[in-house]
Amino acid sequence: SFSFPVVADDGGRRVLYAGLGGGHLVAVDARTGQPLWRFQMAVGGVNSSALLFEDSIIAIHGKDNLDASAIGRMISLPRAPWAALGAESIVREPGEENWRADLTAFTSSPVLWGGRVYQTVLTGDLVCVDAKTGARKWEIKLAPSQIHASPVAADGKLYVPMENGSLHVVRPGDTEATILHTEQLEGNCLGAPAIA
């Protein structure tokens, strides 16, 4: 997959969490390589990087779901339980999700800031989701579509590149967002901005 892993100290272990090309979200002991658990999110790759929030992991995909005809989904899943040392990894079930939201992103990764998840989705919208409940707080249309580029948070603002080459500076609020500036760049935006 295109996602990069995230690492945390959980349950007395250094744990690596990652989305994989086969549609699984996994937890692996980073020191030993032992698989701890796996959760089938999709039919196809989980290409966006996951986020750690409190005792949960939040992930999104843009592939077929196993239990619905809609494409894509964002979920929150508790990071525990753990496989015992030397035991087989635990296969997690869909009923273990904290919440799920009907959102679609292929490789654009979310950003977590102030208890909110900010995600650009396939339709070119920037969406704000409550990280604890999964409730959608607001969304704003920024471009006709979105594929790869991810937003970045800094200085009280979101810097949001879009596939069509537009770069937006957005101030997020509780119930809405304000576009402070838009710059049209040459070519497409396919990566996340760097803050200097």
Side-chain angles (χ1 to χ4, degrees):
S1 98
F2 295 104
S3 69
F4 60 86
V6 291
V7 180
D9 291 313
D10 283 338
R13 293 177 163 172
R14 189 82 171 140
V15 181
L16 181 142
Y17 298 93
L20 302 181
H24 285 91
L25 186 63
V26 299
V28 176
D29 188 306
R31 291 189 177 99
T32 67
Q34 178 197 0
L36 302 174
W37 58 252
R38 68 182 188 273
F39 178 81
Q40 182 85 44
M41 271 190 74
V43 178
V46 178
N47 293 310
S48 301
S49 296
L51 298 171
L52 302 180
F53 174 71
E54 295 179 351
D55 60 354
S56 299
I57 183 167
I58 297 170
I60 190 168
H61 70 84
K63 301 293 185 178
D64 290 329
N65 287 299
L66 300 171
D67 59 357
S69 59
I71 301 293
R73 177 174 292 153
M74 180 181 278
I75 66 158
S76 170
L77 187 71
R79 295 204 305 254
W82 309 108
L85 284 171
E88 293 287 326
S89 65
I90 296 169
V91 177
R92 310 283 302 269
E93 300 297 330
E96 296 181 50
E97 297 168 5
N98 296 320
W99 54 260
R100 58 170 61 178
D102 292 328
L103 297 170
T104 305
F106 291 116
T107 56
S108 174
S109 295
V111 63
L112 177 67
W113 184 34
R116 304 282 173 89
V117 178
Y118 299 96
Q119 174 72 58
T120 53
V121 295
L122 175 65
T123 56
D125 295 2
L126 174 65
V127 181
C128 173
V129 175
D130 186 292
K132 190 173 286 293
T133 66
R136 198 177 301 199
K137 296 296 190 179
W138 51 259
E139 62 186 274
I140 187 169
K141 185 77 165 173
L142 297 178
S145 63
Q146 179 69 323
I147 296 181
H148 302 303
S150 302
V152 172
D155 192 32
K157 298 177 274 296
L158 297 166
Y159 297 85
V160 189
M162 301 301 287
E163 181 190 12
N164 68 352
S166 59
L167 175 65
H168 306 269
V169 181
V170 178
R171 185 179 309 282
D174 288 336
T175 59
E176 63 183 7
T178 303
I179 299 173
L180 301 177
H181 182 74
T182 296
E183 189 74 25
Q184 185 63 46
L185 305 174
E186 293 182 22
N188 303 95
C189 289
L190 302 178
I195 302 299

